[in-house]
Structure formats: C-alpha cells, structure tokens
Amino acid sequence: MKVPVKWLNEHVKIDDIDIKFLEDRLIMSGSNTEGVKDFSKNNTDIVIGKVIEQVKHEDADKLFVLQIDLGEEITQIVTGAKNVKVGDYVPVAKVGANLANGLKIKKGKLRGQVSNGMLCSLDELGFEKSVIPKIFDDGIYILQGEYELGTPLFDVVDIGDNVIEFEITPNRPDCLSIEGMARETQATFKRERKKLSDQNIFEEKNVKKYFDVEVQDSDLCPRYSGFVINNVQIKPSPQWMQVRLMLAGVRPINNIVDITNYVMLETGQPIHPFDLDLVDDKKIIVRRAFDGEKMTTLDSVERILKNDDLVIASAHKAIGIAGVMGGENTEITENTKNIFVEVANFNKTAIRMTSKHLGLRTEASARFEKGIDINRVGKAVNRLLELYAQLNVGEIVDGMIDIYPTRKEEDIVILTTQEVKRILGIDLSTSKMKEMLESLEFKVLSLDDNHLKIQVPSFRMDVLKEIDMIEEVARMYGYDNIPVTLPGGVEFGEYNYRQKIENTVKSTLVSQGLYEISTYSFVSPTAIDKINRSDDTSLNQFVRLINPLGEEYSVMRTTLLPNMMEVLTRNQNNGNSEMMAFELGNTFIAKSIPVVDLPDERKSICIGAYGKKVDFFKIKSFVELLFEVLGIKNVKFEKINDILTYHPGRLAKIIVDETLFGIIGEIHPDVMKNFGISSRVIAAEIDFEKIAENSNLAKLYEPVPKYPSIQRDIAILVKDETTHSEIVDLILKNGGKNLVDVKLFDIYRGVQIKQGYKSMAYSMTFRSDEKTLTDEEVQKPYDKILRVLEETLDAIRR
C-alpha cells in the first residue's frame, strides 16, 4: 500500500514529524514498511515555465523551437514533444539540473539551434510508465492552472511528495486505505484525525425512477448500493487528484473513474461505475453466472464463467464480474452521459475463487478477497457524493439504492489484566489499556480493576478473541518497550519418542555417508508407470489436486521411490560418479476413489544409491545397522521375485518376526531406462510406521564377559539358490545356548567349485556367562550344526 505523506497529512497532522521518525515509529507499532520514496530526491533545479512562442525547427521536421518564460528570464529550448502549445505551463529543467533518472542537463545545440535546458515528462521526474496518464505517455507534463513563473516545481505542486510503502498483512485489510493508515498514525502519535462521514442509512427517494436493483444471491452479496448521476461531463480529473493517484500507484483516466479510484484508496472500498444507458431495461441483477456464460471484461478478454462466479448483470447479459472487473459492454467512455455507481460488499471466498480460476487479479479483487468491512460501503458512498459534487461532474440524482437485509452486529471481547501480564510480562492498569484501545477506535463499554468489556469496530475483522486484543495492547505499548524476560512455566522442551526415532534414523544413515534429500509431495501420475508398478492397486490410489501447478505435480505421492530415482538420475547427469541418499517422508494413499475421506498418510524411508562401491550387500548393511541401532531384533531378508520394479533374483523382503517391514533390491534395467540412468541402482523401501512401533531406544547395560570365548569357523558348499538367512537360521537354531554370534566372512565361486554351487564360510562365537568352555563343550553343537546343514540343505563341508 503506497501512501503519499501529504495525503495522509490531510487526515492526521504529521507535517511536523521527520519522515524517518514517522516510518520508524509506525514500524514499531506494527505497520511494517518496505521503504520511503522521495519523488523530489535527485530532481534539482526544476522550475515552472510558460511557453510563449513555438515555431518549427527549420532543419528538422519533428522538432520545435520554444521560447520559455521563466519569470526572470526567457530561454530557448528545443523539443520533439508534440503535446506542447503556446500558453502551457510546464516543468523546466534548467542547465545544470539533475533528474531522477540520473540525467544531468547541459547547454547544447539541436540541428544548429541552441537549447538551454529541457522540458520534463513524468517519466523523467521519476514516475513509472504504468501510472502516467495516457495523454502524457510520450509527451511533456502540462500543468493545470497558472503559476508564478520561475517557482521551483516541488514548492507548488505535490508531485515531489514522500511516499511510504506499507507491507500490509492479509489479516489487516482495514489498513489498505489512507483512512486505515491515518487511524494507525493517530494511535501511534496520539493525534486527532479527520474522520470521513460514516452515515450508513440511505433513502431511495427519486433514484428508482432511473434504475432498479435485484440481488438474487445475498449470501455472496450481503450489501449492494448505488446511485445515479445524469448528464455527466467526461474530462480529465483535477491535477491534485491525478498527482495523488500517480503517487499511490494508480494511472489517472478521467474524472468519473479517477474519483472511484481515489475513494477506493482513501476508504479501502472498491467501486465500479457503469454506463447506465448501456444497461438493458435500466435494471441491475446480482446473480450467479450460468455455466459456460461468456463475458468480455474491460481488458478486452473474453471470459468463460462458472456457476460459482457472481456476476453483475442486466436483464439480458452479464455486465461485470462482481468484485473483480467490469464488462466492456458498459464501459465509461467519452460518449457516456448517464452513469450508475456501484458500491457493494461481496463474499471474500467467492471473489478469491473466481479470481483464481479466471487467472484475473485486480486491485478490487485483491481487496475483496481479504475481506472488507460491510459498513465501509456507507463511508465510500458519502465520500463519492462529496467529490462528485465538488468537481461538478453532473447532476446527482437524489436518493440511493441500498440493499442491506442483515445488518452486522459488532463483536464483544473481554480483556483481563491477568492475561495481559501473563502474555506480555507487563503490568498495565485497565484505564491505561482503555486509552490505548480507544486511540485505535475500539469502544470500551465498561471496566473495573481487572476487566475491560470492549466493543470491536466492524472494520477490525481480525480481532475475535482476547489474545487478539492483547496484541493491540502490545502494539500500542511499543514492542521495543516490552522487557526481555524468560517465558514462565516449563522452560525446557524435548523431542517426543517418535521424533527421537526419526532423528535416530537420519543420524544413523548420515553417519554412513548418505545424503538426506527432501522432495515434493506432489508428483506426476505417470511416476508409478515409470517404476513398473501400474498393476499395484494401492500405489494407484491417488489423491488428485484440484488446482495443480501442472500435470507433473497433479497427484500426491504414494511411494518415495520415483522421487529418489529422479534425484539419482539428476546427480548422474550432473557428473557425480557416486551417490548415496535417503529420504524420510510422507506418502498419501486414498482410502477410496473418488476421494471422500482423508487419505492414509504414512511415513516411509527410501534409500537409493549408485556407484562403483555400491552393491546389494552395502545397502543391506545400512539397513541392518539401522535396525540394530533402533533395537529391532530378529531381522531377516527373504528372497522374492514378484515386484517388477526390481531385478529378479536380486530382491529381498525385510522381515521382522514374520511381519513385512520393507523391500531391498537392485532396480530393474527397464526402470533405469525409464528414468534415463545408466549406473546400477540399489534401493530400499521401508515402512517407517512399523519401525516406530517396534523400535526400542532403551539401552540396557551388559557387563564385559568374565569368561573367554571360543571361535570356530565352518566352510560349506551349497547350491546357488540357498540363501544366507536359511543357513544362519539353522546355525542359530542348533548351536545351543552358548552360541552368541554368527558372521559370514566369505562367499566364493570359481574353478574349484562345481557349477551351480557356491562356498560360504562362517565364523561362530561360543561363550558361557558361567564358566570357561572346553573344546568338547563347543565341538558337540558344532557337529550338530554341520549334520543339520548336510541333512537339510545338502551342504558339503569343505
């Protein structure tokens, strides 16, 4: 919100306050700013001159030689501007002057003619092209009225004003106006402000002779008002109004439109004028659009509407999109004679949805979608009537339509000194708080030593509870005045058990050299096809977004693996020869299609890696370590072949006590081709929810063994299809109570091993907690293990 300081000064006297101090104090009272722009800064030695003679340049068809009266002297300036004529008062940059765009004016010659200075355009004075009136787009700025010649431009024209740009948060739409910021300034500096008329009850009188209004959807339009002006004279608005609009970032157009924009900026209420002679049957109907209804807006774009959109219509067609933009078919033009001025209040959610689906965001929609005080309608009407009468734009018809069936009641909030002290840590009396709140125009209905009963004005739609009122007290007390204290009550925090498990998962994997990644939850529905899981019903239970950024982000992910593959592919394409990564993130599986309930939202762990040193067993070791650190025992890896994402024969499911926890394997070549990655990829998908349920982070003390252990090795030949887990299970089952550890230390295939077989060597550790074991006590279970392996797996001892 751009606020010209001289306009603000008209509402609350601040011309004696330094601009930097003004900005700083407003920031500390809660009105954050994005800076101050001084339009006179960098513009020096610019004075007002009058064109007293204009002749064409003898040697240039497009140039004119002007004689400019500067009061104390007459000087010659050569210009190419076509909009200048004799008698015009113009801004003149004298020789030696500096302009906002960095240009320094020097004496020169143009095609042989001396030019002592330059006539200035608004662009050269520091205004953006988007706010310059079209008549001055490519020409010199012509001043309205007469001035003392030679007077510095910024001394007599407010064009050199300071403009504060406020950063208005979405919960404070009341501050999107000059009046709103005047109210904040009044409270901050304890000064009286000039209040606009807030008369809010109007009579129809003669207005229904000229037009009528019917509101069919009062839920979307709780208040609709308007009045008629006949025999209007369309012309430029006065210079003071044009300057204020430009400083506030709005392009002046003509007197009718400029007044509506001026009042919108001053009160925060959007307004729209219609050419009444173009409204069928002189009747306005506020209704929902028909599905597929078409309408061309003021920007000459044809819009296709939906039934959820609210339109302003005549008897036969839509003439405006309510709260967003008017229609080209009732636009104010130089031929307009009679107008109807609309001042209405619309449902903020409806305006937001319409603006979004049409891709059309305007100054009006930006205000309506944040919510506008319904009583602001009356304030805007009063100000409009005042300005239209002041500028004598036409004949204002006596009376006004005001359809306002349900008047808004103002809320009541109770504020206690005890809660103020608890939240802010300061002692304030109720009388002091009353003074603060009344400066913000809250009404204190009653108070005692500990309580205030406060009536919240309708324009403060953000104040609903006591905590909101405490924030107002804090702002007015001054955030910089609140003492620094430690919070009361519990002064420490800690992770809950689930968070501790998450942190353990992350720290364990990071300690092994894996990078943690975080990817979007929004993915393409083709992601499941790319990992060859299109037949997996659960993974295709998508939650689809209503308004996705694009097809690639149109559904919620049901697995982390496609995202992992994308990251690995991107890293390989970027020249990284090795990559090991993991993600701990949510997946979303719809309970039914179409979606009617919240989806099943589960956390998963996905590990992915490629590189020369990466193989199945390396990733398996990460998984084993993770389960060990989390205190999950009885982990098994069982070979499977039925998931097409993975290479057959190089895939295992992760089992804990007969419960499936996840899968681990090498990615299928077809899947790698789908993603465009050439390096072999090993991946693991693990259900974090089951990990969280079964983890045990408690560490029990185990004393150092008192008695020595005995280690025995065993090497056997087994068939290729025999798995490590089958062998280990048999060893543990038959090793007796003194067998404490089994480790695989070698797998061998070669010329000495017959085809279809492999050699596997294990180290077994035996130890008793009660005594030193003898060789005989170890040999007996050892022999039993060997016998069982031979009988069960046809193993042959090497």
Side-chain angles (χ1 to χ4, degrees), residues 710-712 714 731 739 741 762-766 782 785:
I710 296 178
Q711 197 163 315
R712 291 289 179 89
I714 185 171
I731 292 174
L739 178 63
D741 192 26
Y762 292 86
S763 174
M764 299 178 290
T765 303
F766 295 86
Y782 181 87
I785 290 169

Side-chain angles (χ1 to χ4, degrees), residues 743-754:
K743 287 183 179 178
L744 172 70
F745 67 85
D746 184 52
I747 300 177
Y748 177 70
R749 293 180 180 90
V751 292
Q752 299 150 331
I753 306 298
K754 65 179 180 179

Side-chain angles (χ1 to χ4, degrees), residues 592-696:
S592 62
I593 301 295
V595 177
V596 292
D597 296 314
L598 291 175
D600 184 11
E601 186 174 340
R602 298 178 68 84
K603 262 192 166 58
S604 297
I605 304 169
C606 184
I607 300 173
Y610 69 84
K612 287 183 180 180
K613 298 180 181 179
V614 172
D615 60 15
F616 177 90
F617 296 103
K618 188 176 186 74
I619 304 305
K620 177 172 173 286
S621 71
F622 295 157
V623 175
E624 289 174 325
L625 175 65
L626 181 62
F627 279 66
E628 180 183 341
V629 170
L630 292 170
I632 300 174
K633 299 180 179 180
N634 302 323
V635 182
K636 297 180 183 178
F637 295 84
E638 295 184 3
K639 183 178 178 179
I640 54 174
N641 293 301
D642 57 351
I643 299 178
L644 298 180
T645 302
Y646 295 91
H647 198 299
R650 300 176 189 175
L651 172 64
K653 57 183 178 180
I654 305 167
I655 303 290
V656 177
D657 293 330
E658 307 307 320
T659 301
L660 178 65
F661 270 54
I663 53 177
I664 177 174
E666 182 178 325
I667 298 296
H668 197 287
D670 290 345
V671 175
M672 291 167 57
K673 185 177 179 181
N674 291 340
F675 284 92
I677 187 169
S678 57
S679 298
R680 185 174 64 166
V681 175
I682 312 297
E685 301 174 72
I686 305 170
D687 188 336
F688 176 79
E689 304 299 335
K690 290 179 180 175
I691 281 183
E693 291 170 10
N694 292 272
S695 291
N696 181 7

Side-chain angles (χ1 to χ4, degrees), residues 258-400:
D258 289 355
I259 289 174
T260 63
N261 285 332
Y262 187 90
V263 173
M264 178 187 72
L265 293 172
E266 196 166 50
T267 66
Q269 170 68 49
I271 302 145
H272 185 71
F274 297 89
D275 188 326
L276 188 57
D277 295 321
L278 300 176
V279 178
D280 302 323
D281 299 342
K282 301 294 186 290
K283 182 174 183 178
I284 293 287
I285 302 171
V286 184
R287 60 169 173 81
R288 292 177 187 266
F290 307 121
D291 267 329
E293 185 173 6
K294 295 180 180 179
M295 195 199 98
T296 302
T297 45
L298 286 170
D299 56 359
S300 300
V301 176
E302 185 178 71
R303 313 282 178 179
I304 300 176
L305 307 175
K306 300 193 301 187
N307 185 245
D308 292 333
D309 301 325
L310 188 69
V311 296
I312 311 302
S314 64
H316 306 301
K317 60 181 178 289
I319 59 174
I321 302 172
V324 181
M325 186 177 283
E328 199 173 58
N329 51 13
T330 51
E331 181 180 6
I332 303 296
T333 68
E334 58 186 12
N335 298 318
T336 297
K337 294 299 179 186
N338 304 299
I339 65 170
F340 162 64
V341 182
E342 168 197 276
V343 189
N345 185 274
F346 300 112
N347 179 282
K348 65 179 183 180
T349 304
I351 300 303
R352 169 65 178 156
M353 297 304 292
T354 294
S355 174
K356 188 173 182 181
H357 97 76
L358 291 176
L360 179 61
R361 200 159 191 268
T362 62
E363 190 73 36
S365 69
R367 292 167 186 272
F368 275 121
E369 67 190 30
K370 291 178 178 65
I372 291 182
D373 172 22
I374 199 167
N375 291 324
R376 203 177 298 179
V377 169
K379 188 164 289 189
V381 166
N382 291 315
R383 187 62 170 142
L384 284 167
L385 292 172
E386 179 184 343
L387 288 172
Y388 280 134
Q390 178 184 329
L391 302 184
N392 194 26
V393 300
E395 301 166 7
I396 301 173
V397 172
D398 192 20
M400 192 183 85

